[in-house]
C-alpha cells in the first residue's frame, strides 16, 4: 500500500512470479460513518505461448480450385494479432481472390500458378509481451492444366486416351461460415464483425443486406474487400438477420447470420449521496437495464443488507430503499449491485444524518464584476441540515427579490439573466433552517462591454508588398484591455516583418506564407471580443511545366502543359512562344495565345523550322516566367508559301528603276536555298517580262530605263524545293528628271494694296518628267513708289500643291512695285522659271494718316509712357530672377513656343510656306497630298487656300489683308530636305514709318 493512499502496488521486477498475484481484488474504505467498496479488479498475467509442434504436408492444388491455409495460433492473453509474410518478412499481397479471415486463416477463392511458393508463414504478434511467434512455413504447389497434361502424356502410350479437363469455371461456394445459417451474439456498445468468404471461378463478389431493414448509416463499414461487415457501437436495435450474398457469372450463394445484441448492465438511475436531518424522510434509487434484465442487490457498509444491522427507519423495496424518520445512527454507506451474466455495476451512496445550523461558504463582501447585457451569477454556497432556505435582498433595507427578472438556483445562486447598469449594488443572501440563520453580502459592478469599432478588413496584396490590418477598440475605462493577434488561430510567426502597433498589425515585405486569416482578440478580465480578416497574397503565376508535344503533323502539332500555381489570382491566358533553332537560335517569338482555362493548343507550323515551344501564364498581376522549353520538332522542307511584302519600284536616277522588297524571315523560307526572282516590264508596252534571280539582297537596280515611265514589277520567292505562288504585280516608275517647261501665260490681278491674285497655265504633264508636286511662286518687292528708293531685294516663295493654276499673294506692301515668276515642281526639283511679271500695289487707307499721327504730341507722350512701363517691367524681371523666381511671361513663352520659329522637320514639305529666294532646293520625290484645309478651285476663287498652305489671315471691310506675314500656321510635314521658315512678323510700328 502506498502511504496515505488506497493504491496497492504489485512489483515483480525484483523477483517473484506474476502467476502468484493472479486473482480478484477489491478495495474497502472505512471510517466511523460507514464503509465503501470498489468494483472487483481482476489481475491476470499476460501469456504468449509457443506454437505446438506439427508436421505440415505440402499442399498440391489444381489451378482454379479453392484453398485454405490454417494458422491456428496459440491462445494468448490478450489474443495475438495475426498476419502472413514470407521468408523475407514481406507481407503477402491480398485481394478479392486471396484474403485473411478473422480467425487468421488464409483463404484462396481460386488458386493460380503464381500462388506456388514454399514460404507461406503465419505470424502471431503478442503486443503486451512485445513478442512475435512464427508458424512453420507452408508449401503450396499449383498444377496448371498444361503441365498436368504433359505429365500424363509422358506416362501413357500413344493408344491411351488421356487429357485432364481444362480449368472450368465454378459457381460460388462459401468457405466460411459453413451452411446456410448461423448465429452471432454481441454485447451492446461493442463492434459487430460478420464475415463471408466464398470460393469460385471467376472470383465471387460479396454483398451485404439486412433483412427487413437498412444497414445503420454512419456506423457501417466494409473491410477485407467487402468480405467483412463492421458495425460499431451496436445497440439492441441492431439485432436481426444479416445476409451475405456471393455472386459470380455462374450463379450465387448466400448465408444468413442471426445477430442478437445482449447487454451488460448499464445505469438508468445510479444512487446518489443523501444528506438528511434527524426525523426527515428520504429514498435511495438504483435502476439499471441490460439484456437479460439485471438483478438488483443492496449492501450496507459492504455487508449484504439482509445480514447487516437492522435499522427501523430503513425499508428495502426492490431497487429502492425508503428512509422514514431517520436518526443520527442511521448514517451509513449503501452499495447497489446490478448484475447479469454479462457483467455487473456497483455504486456507493452515503446516507448522512446530520443536525447542523446554516453555514454560508461564499466569502463575505465578494465582488462580482460583469459586462452589461450579460448574465450575473451571485453565489451563495451554503450547508446545513435540515437544508436551509435561501432568500436574496438588494441594498441594506431592500425587500426580498422576486419576479421574472431573477432566477433562483437550488444551490443558492442568484442569476440576473440580463444585467444592466441599474442592477449594480450590494446584495444580501440569507440562509435559515430550524437550527439558525446566517447572511452574507456581495457586491455587483456592471461594466461597459468591450467593442471593436474598426475591424480588420479583407485585403488582397501583391507579393513583397506591405499590408496593415486595423483593430480600433472601445472599452470600459476601469478595465485594462490586452490586444492579441493570431494567424490561422495560432500565434503570429516570430518574424521581424510583423509589426504590432497599438491598434493595427502591419506586415512588411509580404510573402506567400503570410496568406491566411488574421484575428484581433481583445481580452479584459471580464470579456473578450474578436474580429478576423483574410489576407490573400497574390503574385504572378508560377510557370507552366511538363510540356508535351503530340499529334505531330507536317503543318500542325498539339502542345499540352500543366499550369503552375496561380498564386491566388486566376490565370486569364497562356502565351505560347516558339524558338527556331535552325534560323534564329535563342530568339523567342510569339506563336499564339489561349484562354486560361485551356491547357492544350493545336499550333500551326511552317516547313523547315526546328521548333521548340515554351508557355507563359498571365494573370491580373502579370506574366509568369517562361516554362522550360519543350522538346524540339523539325518540320520537313517545302517550297515557300508566301512572297516578299512591300514590293516597290522607284527610280533613284532618271535612267534607272530601283526594285525593293522586304525579305522573308528565316522560318518563312520553308527550306534551304532561299532566293528571289525579280521581274519587270514597261507598262502599256507589249514587252516580255525581264527576270533575274538574286539571293541575300532586298534591292535590285534596273539601269538604262527611260525617264519616268511606269513599270510592272513583281518579286517571287523560291528555294531548293520550288517556287512560291505567283506574286501580285505592283506599279512603279523609273527615275524622275527636272521639269523641262515653265508655266506660261502668267497674269497678276491686284485686288487691293496688300493682296494680289496670280494666274498661270499648267505645264503639259509629259514635260513634268516626274510626279507633279505643285507650283512655286517667287515674288519680291522692287521698290516703294512713295520714296522712289530701292532696298535689298528679299525674295519670297509661296508653294501651291497639286495641279493648281492660281494663288493669292497676301501681305504685300501698299504703293509698291513687285516682280514674280512661277515654276513647276516635281520629285526631282524645280523646272525653269517663267518670265518675270511686274505689278504694282495701290496706296493704302492708312498711308495719308501716318505722318499726322506720328507728329501729334499725345502720340509722342503715349510712346514715352509705354517705354517707361517696359523699363519698370524689365527691372522687376531682373530682381525676380536674382531671387530665384521665374518671370511668368517667360514661363508662357517656354510652354507655348511660337510655332512660327520652330524649325521644320526634314521630312516636312508643306506647300504654301514662305522661304527665301535662295532656298529653292528641289523638293523630295513623292510629295504628300494636300492637307484637309485645301479647298478645291471651283469652290471659291478667293478661298484662303489660294494664299498657299499655312497662311491664316483675315480681311478688313475694304479687302486689305490684316496681319501681313503673320505666319500663324500649323506645323505640317516638310517634303524637302530642309524646312522653309516664314519671315518674322512685321512689327506694327513699321506701318507708321
Amino acid at each position: 500500500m502506498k502511504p496515505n493512499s488506497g493504491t496497492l502496488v504489485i512489483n515483480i521486477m525484483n523477483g517473484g512470479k506474476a502467476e502468484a498475484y493472479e486473482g480478484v481484488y477489491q478495495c474497502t474504505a472505512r471510517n466511523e460513518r460507514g464503509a465503501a467498496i470498489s468494483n472487483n479488479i481482476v489481475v491476470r498475467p499476460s501469456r504468449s505461448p509457443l506454437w505446438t509442434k506439427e508436421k505440415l504436408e505440402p499442399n498440391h492444388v489444381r489451378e482454379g480450385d479453392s484453398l485454405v491455409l490454417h494458422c491456428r495460433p496459440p491462445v494468448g492473453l490478450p489474443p495475438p494479432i495475426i498476419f502472413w509474410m514470407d521468408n523475407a518478412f514481406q507481407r503477402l499481397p491480398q485481394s478479392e481472390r486471396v484474403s485473411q479471415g478473422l480467425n487468421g486463416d488464409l483463404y484462396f477463392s481460386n488458386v493460380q500458378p503464381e500462388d506456388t511458393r514454399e514460404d507461406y508463414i503465419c505470424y502471431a504478434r503478442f503486443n503486451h509481451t512485445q513478442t512475435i511467434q512464427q508458424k512453420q512455413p507452408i508449401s503450396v504447389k499449383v498444377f496448371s492444366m498444361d503441365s498436368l497434361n504433359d505429365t500424363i502424356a509422358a506416362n501413357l502410350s500413344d493408344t491411351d486416351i488421356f487429357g485432364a479437363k481444362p480449368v472450368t469455371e465454378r459457381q460460388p461456394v462459401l468457405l466460411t461460415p459453413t451452411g446456410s445459417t448461423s448465429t452471432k451474439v454481441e454485447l451492446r456498445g461493442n463492434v459487430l464483425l460478420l464475415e463471408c468468404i466464398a470460393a469460385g471461378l471467376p472470383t465471387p463478389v460479396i454483398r451485404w443486406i439486412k433483412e427487413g431493414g437498412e444497414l445503420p448509416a454512419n456506423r457501417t463499414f466494409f473491410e477485407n474487400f467487402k468480405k467483412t461487415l463492421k458495425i460499431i457501437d451496436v445497440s439492441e436495435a441492431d439485432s436481426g438477420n444479416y445476409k451475405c450474398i456471393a455472386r459470380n457469372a455462374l450463379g450465387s450463394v448466400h448465408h444468413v447470420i442471426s445477430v442478437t445484441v445482449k447487454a451488460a448492465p448499464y445505469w438508468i438511475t445510479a444512487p446518489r449521496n443523501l444528506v438528511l436531518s434527524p426525523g426527515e424522510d428520504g429514498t435511495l434509487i438504483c435502476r439499471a437495464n441490460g439484456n437479460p434484465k439485471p438483478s438488483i442487490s443492496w449492501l450496507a457498509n459492504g455487508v449484504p443488507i439482509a445480514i447487516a444491522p437492522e435499522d427501523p427507519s430503513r425499508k428495502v423495496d426492490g431497487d429502492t430503499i425508503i428512509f422514514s424518520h431517520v436518526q443520527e445512527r442511521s448514517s451509513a454507506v449503501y452499495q447497489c449491485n446490478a448484475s447479469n451474466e454479462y457483467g455487473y455495476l456497483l455504486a456507493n451512496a452515503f446516507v448522512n444524518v446530520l443536525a447542523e445550523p446554516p453555514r454560508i461558504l461564499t466569502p463575505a463582501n465578494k465582488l462580482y464584476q460583469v459586462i452589461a447585457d450579460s448574465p450575473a451569477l451571485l453565489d451563495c454556497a451554503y450547508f446545513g441540515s435540515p437544508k436551509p432556505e435561501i432568500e436574496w435582498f438588494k441594498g441594506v433595507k431592500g425587500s426580498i427579490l422576486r419576479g421574472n427578472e431573477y432566477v433562483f438556483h437550488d444551490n443558492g445562486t442568484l442569476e440576473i439573466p440580463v444585467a444592466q447598469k441599474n442592477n449594480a449594488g450590494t446584495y444580501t443572501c440569507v440562509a435559515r433552517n430550524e437550527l439558525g440563520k446566517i447572511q452574507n453580502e456581495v457586491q455587483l459592478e456592471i461594466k461597459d462591454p468591450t467593442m471593436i469599432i474598426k475591424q480588420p478588413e479583407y485585403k488582397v496584396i501583391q507579393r513583397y508588398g506591405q499590408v496593415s490590418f486595423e483593430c480600433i477598440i472601445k472599452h470600459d475605462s476601469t478595465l485594462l484591455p490586452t490586444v492579441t493577434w493570431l494567424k490561422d488561430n495560432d500565434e503570429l510567426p516570430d518574424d521581424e516583418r510583423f509589426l504590432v502597433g497599438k491598434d493595427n498589425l502591419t506586415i512588411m515585405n509580404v510573402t506567400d506564407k503570410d496568406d491566411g486569416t488574421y484575428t484581433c482578440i481583445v481580452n479584459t478580465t471580464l470579456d473578450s471580443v474578436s474580429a478576423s480578416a483574410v489576407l490573400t497574397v497574390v503574385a504572378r503565376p508560377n510557370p507552366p511545366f511538363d510540356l508535351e508535344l503530340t499529334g505531330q503533323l507536317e503543318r500542325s502539332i498539339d502542345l499540352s502543359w500543366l499550369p503552375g500555381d496561380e498564386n491566388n489570382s486566376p490565370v486569364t491566358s497562356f502565351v505560347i512562344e516558339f524558338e527556331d533553332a535552325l534560323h534564329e537560335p535563342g530568339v523567342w517569338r510569339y506563336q499564339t495565345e489561349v484562354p486560361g482555362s485551356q491547357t492544350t493548343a493545336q499550333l500551326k507550323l511552317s516547313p523547315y523550322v526546328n521548333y521548340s515551344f515554351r508557355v507563359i501564364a498571365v494573370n491580373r498581376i502579370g506574366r509568369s516566367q517562361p516554362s522550360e522549353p519543350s522538346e524540339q520538332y523539325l518540320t520537313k522542307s517545302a517550297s515557300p508559301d508566301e512572297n516578299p511584302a512591300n514590293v516597290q519600284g522607284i527610280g533613284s536616277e532618271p535612267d534607272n528603276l530601283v526594285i525593293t522588297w522586304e525579305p522573308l524571315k528565316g522560318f518563312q523560307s520553308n527550306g534551304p536555298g532561299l532566293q528571289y526572282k525579280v521581274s519587270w516590264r514597261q507598262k502599256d508596252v507589249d514587252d516580255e517580262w525581264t527576270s533575274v534571280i538574286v539571293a541575300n539582297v532586298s534591292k535590285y537596280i534596273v539601269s538604262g530605263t527611260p525617264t519616268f515611265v511606269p513599270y510592272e514589277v513583281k518579286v517571287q520567292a523560291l528555294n531548293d524545293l520550288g517556287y512560291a505562288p505567283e506574286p501580285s504585280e505592283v506599279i512603279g516608275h523609273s527615275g524622275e528628271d527636272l521639269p523641262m517647261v515653265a508655266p506660261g501665260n502668267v497674269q497678276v490681278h491686284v485686288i487691293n494694296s496688300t493682296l494680289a491674285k496670280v494666274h498661270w497655265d499648267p505645264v503639259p504633264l509629259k514635260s513634268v518628267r516626274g510626279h507633279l508636286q505643285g507650283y512655286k511662286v517667287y515674288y519680291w518687292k522692287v521698290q516703294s513708289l512713295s520714296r522712289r528708293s530701292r532696298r535689298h531685294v528679299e525674295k519670297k516663295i509661296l508653294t501651291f500643291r497639286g495641279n493648281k493654276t492660281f494663288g493669292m499673294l497676301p501681305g504685300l506692301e501698299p504703293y509698291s512695285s513687285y516682280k514674280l515668276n512661277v515654276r513647276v515642281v516635281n520629285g526631282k526639283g524645280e523646272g525653269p522659271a517663267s518670265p518675270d511679271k511686274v505689278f504694282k500695289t495701290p496706296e493704302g487707307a492708312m498711308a495719308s494718316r501716318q505722318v499726322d499721327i506720328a507728329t501729334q504730341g499725345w502720340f509722342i507722350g503715349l510712346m514715352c509712357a509705354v517705354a517707361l512701363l517696359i523699363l519698370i517691367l524689365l527691372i522687376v524681371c531682373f530682381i525676380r530672377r536674382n531671387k530665384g523666381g521665374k518671370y511668368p511671361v517667360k514661363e508662357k513663352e517656354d510652354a507655348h513656343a511660337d510655332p512660327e520659329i520652330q524649325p521644320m522637320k526634314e521630312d516636312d514639305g508643306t506647300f504654301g510656306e514662305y522661304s527665301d529666294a535662295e532656298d529653292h532646293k528641289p523638293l523630295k520625290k513623292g510629295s504628300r497630298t494636300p492637307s484637309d484645309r485645301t479647298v478645291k478651285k471651283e469652290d471659291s476663287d478667293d478661298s484662303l487656300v489660294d494664299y498657299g498652305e499655312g497662311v491664316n489671315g483675315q480681311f478688313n471691310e475694304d479687302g486689305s489683308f490684316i496681319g501681313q506675314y503673320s505666319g500663324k500656321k500649323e506645323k505640317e510635314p516638310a517634303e524637302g530636305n530642309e524646312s522653309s521658315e516664314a519671315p518674322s512678323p512685321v512689327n506694327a510700328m513699321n506701318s507708321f514709318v
Side-chain angles (χ1 to χ4, degrees), residues 298-320:
W298 290 95
L299 297 86
N301 296 325
V303 178
I305 201 164
I307 60 174
E310 290 189 6
D311 183 351
S313 66
R314 178 183 68 209
K315 178 184 177 182
V316 177
D317 183 9
D319 60 5
T320 304

Side-chain angles (χ1 to χ4, degrees), residues 677-692 702 711-714 729:
K677 180 181 178 182
V678 184
S679 304
W680 66 92
R681 68 180 179 185
Q682 189 171 337
K683 191 175 183 300
D684 300 329
V685 178
D686 192 15
D687 281 350
E688 295 294 327
W689 286 95
T690 302
S691 300
V692 64
V702 180
Y711 276 85
E712 294 176 310
V713 177
K714 60 183 179 180
E729 302 165 4

Side-chain angles (χ1 to χ4, degrees), residues 553-620:
L553 300 174
E554 290 187 4
R555 292 300 183 104
S556 70
I557 197 168
D558 293 330
L559 173 66
S560 62
W561 61 90
L562 293 178
D565 194 331
E566 294 183 334
N567 292 323
N568 295 321
S569 181
V571 171
T572 56
S573 63
F574 291 101
V575 176
I576 302 172
E577 297 179 337
F578 73 93
E579 177 197 29
D580 180 4
L582 192 62
H583 302 100
E584 295 179 306
V587 177
W588 290 91
R589 297 191 178 277
Y590 175 85
Q591 171 84 18
T592 187
E593 187 169 352
V594 298
S597 59
Q598 194 170 320
T599 57
T600 60
Q602 186 176 63
L603 308 177
K604 294 182 179 179
L605 304 180
S606 296
Y608 194 53
V609 176
N610 192 8
Y611 281 101
S612 59
F613 301 95
R614 68 184 187 184
V615 184
I616 299 170
V618 182
N619 66 7
R620 187 175 58 86

Side-chain angles (χ1 to χ4, degrees), residues 327 396 702 774:
Q327 301 301 317
V396 180
V702 180

Side-chain angles (χ1 to χ4, degrees), residues 40 61 72 245 339 408 676 785:
N40 289 340
V61 194
R72 299 191 184 98
I245 303 168
S339 60
F408 302 94
Y676 303 100
L785 300 178

Side-chain angles (χ1 to χ4, degrees), residues 463 511-513 515 536-546 561-574 596 599 616-625 627:
R463 187 187 295 164
T511 64
D512 291 340
K513 65 181 181 180
D515 201 274
T536 300
V537 180
V538 296
R540 297 180 180 184
N542 290 352
F545 58 97
D546 279 358
W561 61 90
L562 293 178
D565 194 331
E566 294 183 334
N567 292 323
N568 295 321
S569 181
V571 171
T572 56
S573 63
F574 291 101
T599 57
I616 299 170
V618 182
N619 66 7
R620 187 175 58 86
I621 309 305
R623 295 162 63 104
S624 73
Q625 290 294 319
S627 69

Side-chain angles (χ1 to χ4, degrees), residues 820-841:
L820 65 78
N821 58 50
V822 183
R823 310 176 191 192
V824 66
V825 182
N826 67 8
K828 189 74 173 178
E830 299 176 4
S834 66
D836 291 349
K837 189 75 174 179
V838 178
F839 67 95
K840 298 178 181 179
T841 57

Side-chain angles (χ1 to χ4, degrees), residues 17 182 192 258 289 350 364 391 402 417 468 475 477 490 526 536 548 601 633 646 648 694 714 809 843 867 902 982:
K17 293 185 177 182
S182 61
L192 173 65
S258 180
N289 202 357
F350 179 36
E391 293 178 331
R402 292 187 178 87
S468 183
H475 61 91
S477 59
D490 204 351
L526 299 182
T536 300
E548 183 179 5
Y633 178 61
N646 198 22
Q648 290 183 325
V694 297
K714 60 183 179 180
L809 304 181
E843 293 187 30
Q902 299 298 318

